[in-house]
mmCIF file of all heavy atoms in Angstrom:
data_model
loop_
_atom_site.group_PDB
_atom_site.id
_atom_site.type_symbol
_atom_site.label_atom_id
_atom_site.label_comp_id
_atom_site.label_asym_id
_atom_site.label_seq_id
_atom_site.Cartn_x
_atom_site.Cartn_y
_atom_site.Cartn_z
ATOM 1 N N ALA A 128 121.372 159.466 93.834
ATOM 2 C CA ALA A 128 119.916 159.623 93.768
ATOM 3 C C ALA A 128 119.236 158.878 94.915
ATOM 4 O O ALA A 128 118.240 159.349 95.476
ATOM 5 C CB ALA A 128 119.401 159.126 92.423
ATOM 6 N N ALA A 129 119.797 157.719 95.281
ATOM 7 C CA ALA A 129 119.201 156.936 96.371
ATOM 8 C C ALA A 129 119.258 157.741 97.672
ATOM 9 O O ALA A 129 118.290 157.801 98.461
ATOM 10 C CB ALA A 129 119.928 155.601 96.536
ATOM 11 N N ASN A 130 120.420 158.366 97.943
ATOM 12 C CA ASN A 130 120.552 159.137 99.185
ATOM 13 C C ASN A 130 119.689 160.387 99.176
ATOM 14 O O ASN A 130 118.907 160.614 100.108
ATOM 15 C CB ASN A 130 122.017 159.519 99.404
ATOM 16 C CG ASN A 130 122.779 158.401 100.114
ATOM 17 O OD1 ASN A 130 122.192 157.574 100.804
ATOM 18 N ND2 ASN A 130 124.078 158.363 99.931
ATOM 19 N N VAL A 131 119.822 161.175 98.128
ATOM 20 C CA VAL A 131 119.039 162.423 98.082
ATOM 21 C C VAL A 131 117.537 162.113 98.074
ATOM 22 O O VAL A 131 116.752 162.728 98.794
ATOM 23 C CB VAL A 131 119.453 163.255 96.833
ATOM 24 C CG1 VAL A 131 118.500 164.416 96.627
ATOM 25 C CG2 VAL A 131 120.878 163.767 96.991
ATOM 26 N N GLY A 132 117.153 161.108 97.279
ATOM 27 C CA GLY A 132 115.728 160.756 97.166
ATOM 28 C C GLY A 132 115.160 160.273 98.490
ATOM 29 O O GLY A 132 114.048 160.665 98.865
ATOM 30 N N THR A 133 115.903 159.426 99.192
ATOM 31 C CA THR A 133 115.364 158.841 100.413
ATOM 32 C C THR A 133 115.263 159.886 101.525
ATOM 33 O O THR A 133 114.247 159.971 102.225
ATOM 34 C CB THR A 133 116.239 157.657 100.856
ATOM 35 O OG1 THR A 133 116.313 156.722 99.781
ATOM 36 C CG2 THR A 133 115.683 156.976 102.085
ATOM 37 N N ILE A 134 116.309 160.685 101.677
ATOM 38 C CA ILE A 134 116.287 161.669 102.787
ATOM 39 C C ILE A 134 115.198 162.707 102.539
ATOM 40 O O ILE A 134 114.443 163.056 103.453
ATOM 41 C CB ILE A 134 117.671 162.338 102.960
ATOM 42 C CG1 ILE A 134 118.728 161.295 103.314
ATOM 43 C CG2 ILE A 134 117.633 163.424 104.032
ATOM 44 C CD1 ILE A 134 120.146 161.752 103.217
ATOM 45 N N THR A 135 115.100 163.174 101.290
ATOM 46 C CA THR A 135 114.048 164.191 101.023
ATOM 47 C C THR A 135 112.650 163.573 101.158
ATOM 48 O O THR A 135 111.727 164.240 101.604
ATOM 49 C CB THR A 135 114.215 164.809 99.628
ATOM 50 O OG1 THR A 135 114.369 163.754 98.670
ATOM 51 C CG2 THR A 135 115.432 165.716 99.532
ATOM 52 N N ALA A 136 112.512 162.299 100.795
ATOM 53 C CA ALA A 136 111.185 161.692 100.925
ATOM 54 C C ALA A 136 110.819 161.528 102.408
ATOM 55 O O ALA A 136 109.654 161.745 102.803
ATOM 56 C CB ALA A 136 111.161 160.310 100.250
ATOM 57 N N LEU A 137 111.786 161.186 103.241
ATOM 58 C CA LEU A 137 111.477 160.989 104.659
ATOM 59 C C LEU A 137 111.180 162.310 105.368
ATOM 60 O O LEU A 137 110.463 162.329 106.368
ATOM 61 C CB LEU A 137 112.659 160.310 105.370
ATOM 62 C CG LEU A 137 112.845 158.812 105.073
ATOM 63 C CD1 LEU A 137 114.106 158.280 105.753
ATOM 64 C CD2 LEU A 137 111.623 157.999 105.497
ATOM 65 N N GLU A 138 111.746 163.405 104.842
ATOM 66 C CA GLU A 138 111.542 164.738 105.445
ATOM 67 C C GLU A 138 111.761 164.731 106.964
ATOM 68 O O GLU A 138 110.827 165.041 107.726
ATOM 69 C CB GLU A 138 110.118 165.245 105.189
ATOM 70 C CG GLU A 138 109.826 165.576 103.749
ATOM 71 C CD GLU A 138 108.437 166.142 103.579
ATOM 72 O OE1 GLU A 138 107.470 165.364 103.594
ATOM 73 O OE2 GLU A 138 108.310 167.356 103.473
ATOM 74 N N PRO A 139 112.953 164.355 107.422
ATOM 75 C CA PRO A 139 113.153 164.367 108.867
ATOM 76 C C PRO A 139 113.150 165.791 109.421
ATOM 77 O O PRO A 139 113.521 166.728 108.702
ATOM 78 C CB PRO A 139 114.561 163.746 109.032
ATOM 79 C CG PRO A 139 115.175 163.786 107.676
ATOM 80 C CD PRO A 139 114.141 164.042 106.656
ATOM 81 N N ASP A 140 112.727 165.946 110.659
ATOM 82 C CA ASP A 140 112.822 167.287 111.269
ATOM 83 C C ASP A 140 114.287 167.570 111.621
ATOM 84 O O ASP A 140 114.763 168.656 111.399
ATOM 85 C CB ASP A 140 111.973 167.355 112.545
ATOM 86 C CG ASP A 140 110.491 167.292 112.217
ATOM 87 O OD1 ASP A 140 110.083 168.014 111.273
ATOM 88 O OD2 ASP A 140 109.759 166.534 112.875
ATOM 89 N N VAL A 141 114.948 166.550 112.204
ATOM 90 C CA VAL A 141 116.326 166.746 112.628
ATOM 91 C C VAL A 141 117.170 165.573 112.171
ATOM 92 O O VAL A 141 116.765 164.415 112.318
ATOM 93 C CB VAL A 141 116.430 166.835 114.182
ATOM 94 C CG1 VAL A 141 117.856 167.176 114.604
ATOM 95 C CG2 VAL A 141 115.453 167.849 114.743
ATOM 96 N N VAL A 142 118.344 165.897 111.599
ATOM 97 C CA VAL A 142 119.298 164.833 111.230
ATOM 98 C C VAL A 142 120.551 165.005 112.103
ATOM 99 O O VAL A 142 121.055 166.123 112.261
ATOM 100 C CB VAL A 142 119.670 164.914 109.744
ATOM 101 C CG1 VAL A 142 120.922 164.101 109.437
ATOM 102 C CG2 VAL A 142 118.528 164.409 108.880
ATOM 103 N N PHE A 143 121.037 163.923 112.645
ATOM 104 C CA PHE A 143 122.323 163.889 113.354
ATOM 105 C C PHE A 143 123.296 163.219 112.370
ATOM 106 O O PHE A 143 123.104 162.047 112.015
ATOM 107 C CB PHE A 143 122.219 163.106 114.648
ATOM 108 C CG PHE A 143 121.274 163.747 115.623
ATOM 109 C CD1 PHE A 143 119.908 163.483 115.566
ATOM 110 C CD2 PHE A 143 121.740 164.632 116.584
ATOM 111 C CE1 PHE A 143 119.009 164.063 116.447
ATOM 112 C CE2 PHE A 143 120.846 165.246 117.465
ATOM 113 C CZ PHE A 143 119.480 164.970 117.393
ATOM 114 N N ALA A 144 124.321 163.987 111.921
ATOM 115 C CA ALA A 144 125.143 163.498 110.813
ATOM 116 C C ALA A 144 126.621 163.480 111.191
ATOM 117 O O ALA A 144 127.122 164.470 111.760
ATOM 118 C CB ALA A 144 124.929 164.391 109.597
#
Side-chain angles (χ1 to χ4, degrees):
N130 274 336
V131 169
T133 304
I134 298 167
T135 49
L137 287 176
E138 292 183 282
D140 291 316
V141 185
V142 164
F143 297 85

